[in-house]
Amino acid sequence: MRTVQAVFAAMLVVILAINLVAIGLSIAFSITFLCLEFYDEVFQKTQFYGQIRQWLFNRVNTELPNGHEALPYLEKAMTEDWLRDEVLFLGGHLFRFLKGKSDQLPVIPLYKLFDRLDDYMSQAQLENRDKMINYWFGPIPQRVRFQDILSVEFFWVIRQFVRAFKWLSWGTVAIFLALAGILVAVVKGIKQSLIWIGASMASAGGVMLELSLATKWILLSNGMIPQWALSPALFKFPPRAIELLLRTFVEHFLLRINLIALSLLLVGAVLITFCNFDRELTVIK
């Protein structure tokens, strides 16, 4: 009977470890790619806002017939701080849609940039302001919908994934609690159960560290990211800037995974150590 109990408990520990790995990965994903602040952190670290700004200037200069005449005014109006604020504003709207808090995709309000140009125009230009804007940016609309850039289906697929991921995350937590309850019932003791749970947590932490190392080797050491950076779908954006951005995303994501893994290892070790420690009181006469 004890042998069967031990085998069943060992099986539960393995399943708990796998479940904890899933929980750890879902937490890492939630605090990175599903968090707007994570993107802002990476963009600032890689100076990506400045790269976007220069890329936009280059496109205006090369693709608009009279764009080069607007550049001196555009460089003053589109500061890096202003661009960051606008990107975060649009990102907030997009995340509300993806998380099911809104059913409307955001609209890029280019008219706000055109309005900022008013501060840098001469009096004569202001008197013919609409003609000047049309002369500089004729083909560019005042507002650009996200579905004009990518298909609506793409955004709805991402939204469905985010919603499914949210329920899956809560499901893994519910499974952990259920498995922990079964383990307590099988082992018939809180103290021994905590030792088993500690073992599963330490195992999960070790597995997550191994997954982190494997991912780092696959993505950062095998030349995959430079190939992605050369994708023609990136609208002639500088490949080096894209490569640095992707590398930083991966590094920061793996950093979160490593921190969660180390936390699991530490908590697991503490549970195993303290639940195995039996104090004996000795009376000294």
Side-chain angles (χ1 to χ4, degrees):
M1 184 63 182
R2 285 183 175 275
T3 303
V4 174
Q5 186 185 46
V7 171
F8 192 55
M11 291 175 58
L12 284 174
V13 168
V14 173
I15 299 172
L16 272 172
I18 296 172
N19 178 257
L20 283 168
V21 170
I23 292 175
L25 292 177
S26 66
I27 292 173
F29 195 83
S30 296
I31 63 177
T32 53
F33 295 109
L34 295 183
C35 183
L36 183 60
E37 290 75 14
F38 173 69
Y39 292 90
D40 183 42
E41 176 189 347
V42 173
F43 283 2
Q44 289 192 80
K45 186 176 181 63
T46 58
Q47 299 181 338
F48 198 65
Y49 292 113
Q51 295 281 352
I52 295 173
R53 183 171 176 265
Q54 291 302 319
W55 175 75
L56 290 172
F57 291 161
N58 289 335
R59 297 205 68 180
V60 168
N61 186 42
T62 57
E63 298 182 18
L64 297 180
N66 304 304
H68 63 283
E69 296 185 35
L71 278 182
Y73 306 95
L74 196 60
E75 289 174 351
K76 295 176 182 178
M78 187 190 289
T79 63
E80 195 169 324
D81 289 338
W82 179 84
L83 182 61
R84 174 176 176 255
D85 291 340
E86 291 301 311
V87 169
L88 293 178
F89 176 77
L90 289 171
H93 279 276
L94 180 60
F95 268 78
R96 279 194 286 275
F97 171 81
L98 296 178
K99 292 181 179 181
K101 298 177 181 179
S102 170
D103 292 329
Q104 296 295 324
L105 281 166
V107 175
I108 303 175
L110 291 179
Y111 66 87
K112 293 169 69 174
L113 176 60
F114 297 157
D115 290 343
R116 280 179 61 84
L117 290 172
D118 295 352
D119 298 334
Y120 306 98
M121 289 183 184
S122 65
Q123 188 60 40
Q125 289 173 328
L126 281 174
E127 291 174 359
N128 298 280
R129 187 256 187 196
D130 292 340
K131 290 183 179 179
M132 292 301 302
I133 295 296
N134 186 61
Y135 175 71
W136 288 336
F137 309 103
I140 300 179
Q142 296 277 326
R143 295 174 175 83
V144 177
R145 301 178 304 168
F146 266 52
Q147 52 264 47
D148 295 333
I149 304 173
L150 293 170
S151 67
V152 177
E153 289 76 14
F154 171 81
F155 291 105
W156 279 98
V157 167
I158 298 298
R159 175 177 165 129
Q160 293 301 320
F161 168 79
V162 171
R163 294 182 65 182
F165 177 80
K166 179 181 177 181
W167 286 109
L168 182 63
S169 300
W170 284 111
T172 55
V173 173
I175 291 172
F176 172 78
L177 294 175
L179 290 173
I182 294 172
L183 183 62
V184 172
V186 170
V187 176
K188 297 179 181 179
I190 297 295
K191 190 174 180 180
Q192 188 62 33
S193 298
L194 289 176
I195 294 174
W196 285 107
I197 291 173
S200 66
M201 294 180 79
S203 300
V207 170
M208 288 185 67
L209 287 175
E210 291 177 358
L211 287 174
S212 175
L213 290 172
T215 303
K216 183 176 181 179
W217 181 81
I218 292 171
L219 295 181
L220 300 183
S221 303
N222 264 6
M224 292 184 65
I225 287 182
Q227 293 177 11
W228 293 344
L230 294 173
S231 171
L234 296 174
F235 306 106
K236 301 179 182 178
F237 208 93
R240 285 192 176 183
I242 294 296
E243 181 181 347
L244 176 61
L245 181 71
L246 293 176
R247 281 183 174 276
T248 307
F249 270 127
V250 172
E251 289 170 356
H252 279 55
F253 176 65
L254 294 181
L255 175 62
R256 267 67 166 188
I257 289 181
N258 291 338
L259 290 175
I260 293 171
L262 291 174
S263 298
L264 285 171
L265 279 169
L266 179 62
V267 174
V270 169
L271 285 176
I272 294 171
T273 301
F274 283 91
C275 291
N276 267 325
F277 181 69
D278 293 321
R279 283 200 255 179
E280 296 182 2
L281 294 179
T282 305
V283 180
I284 301 176
K285 295 184 180 179

